[in-house]
């Protein structure tokens, strides 16, 4: 959807051009270490996407339970769900390496056919 806000041309803060971006420097090159430390740690680039962002609705009791655990509560939900999935998978598939493969027929059973 196109924004209906009127674009205001601000001469004190013009839109950056490709040349402006080319001249830009990294913060480490222009800011002192004490100023940089005020921004806190930052996470590096993700090597390979390991999780998929989703939006789900959970009951307040579930969210409250995990939030009480503190930092990393969303990862804790992920870990708990993984355990449930693996447990369910083990019940339905005896050996994950054999999943999707047909079982071999015993010689006796094959002879009876």
């Amino acid at each position: 959807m196109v924004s209906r806000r009127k674009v205001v041309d601000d001469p004190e803060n013009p839109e950056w051009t490709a040349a402006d971006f080319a001249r830009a420097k990294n913060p480490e090159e222009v800011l002192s270490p004490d100023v940089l430390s005020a921004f806190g740690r930052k996470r590096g680039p993700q090597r390979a996407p390991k999780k998929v962002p989703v939006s789900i609705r959970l009951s307040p009791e579930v969210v409250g339970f995990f939030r009480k655990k503190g930092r990393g509560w969303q990862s804790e939900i992920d870990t708990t769900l993984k355990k449930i999935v693996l447990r369910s998978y083990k019940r339905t598939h005896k050996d994950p390496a054999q999943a999707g493969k047909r079982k071999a027929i015993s010689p006796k059973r094959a002879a009876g056919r």
Side-chain angles (χ1 to χ4, degrees), residues 7-24:
V7 177
V8 179
D9 191 23
D10 182 0
E12 293 183 20
N13 188 19
E15 187 171 335
W16 276 36
T17 64
D20 292 325
F21 280 103
R23 282 192 311 269

Side-chain angles (χ1 to χ4, degrees), residues 51-70:
K51 295 184 179 178
V52 179
V54 295
S55 175
I56 62 172
R57 294 181 182 273
L58 301 172
S59 67
E61 296 84 7
V62 170
V63 174
F65 174 82
F66 284 98
R67 275 196 173 153
K68 284 181 192 172
K69 294 184 173 206

Side-chain angles (χ1 to χ4, degrees), residues 6-107:
K6 187 177 179 181
V7 177
V8 179
D9 191 23
D10 182 0
E12 293 183 20
N13 188 19
E15 187 171 335
W16 276 36
T17 64
D20 292 325
F21 280 103
R23 282 192 311 269
K25 296 180 180 180
N26 288 326
E28 294 81 12
E29 296 176 45
V30 293
L31 298 175
S32 64
D34 60 322
V35 172
L36 287 173
S37 68
F39 289 103
R41 296 184 321 179
K42 68 176 185 176
R43 184 176 165 183
Q46 193 173 19
R47 291 186 185 129
K50 297 196 183 337
K51 295 184 179 178
V52 179
V54 295
S55 175
I56 62 172
R57 294 181 182 273
L58 301 172
S59 67
E61 296 84 7
V62 170
V63 174
F65 174 82
F66 284 98
R67 275 196 173 153
K68 284 181 192 172
K69 294 184 173 206
R71 190 178 168 128
W73 65 274
Q74 291 173 327
S75 293
E76 183 70 26
I77 291 174
D78 182 60
T79 301
T80 302
L81 291 173
K82 275 188 209 175
K83 287 177 185 176
I84 292 169
V85 168
L86 288 174
R87 208 176 309 138
S88 175
Y89 187 83
K90 286 178 183 178
R91 274 192 299 242
T92 58
H93 301 89
K94 300 294 181 203
D95 180 8
Q98 298 296 322
K101 295 183 181 178
R102 291 184 164 195
K103 292 183 180 179
I105 299 173
S106 70

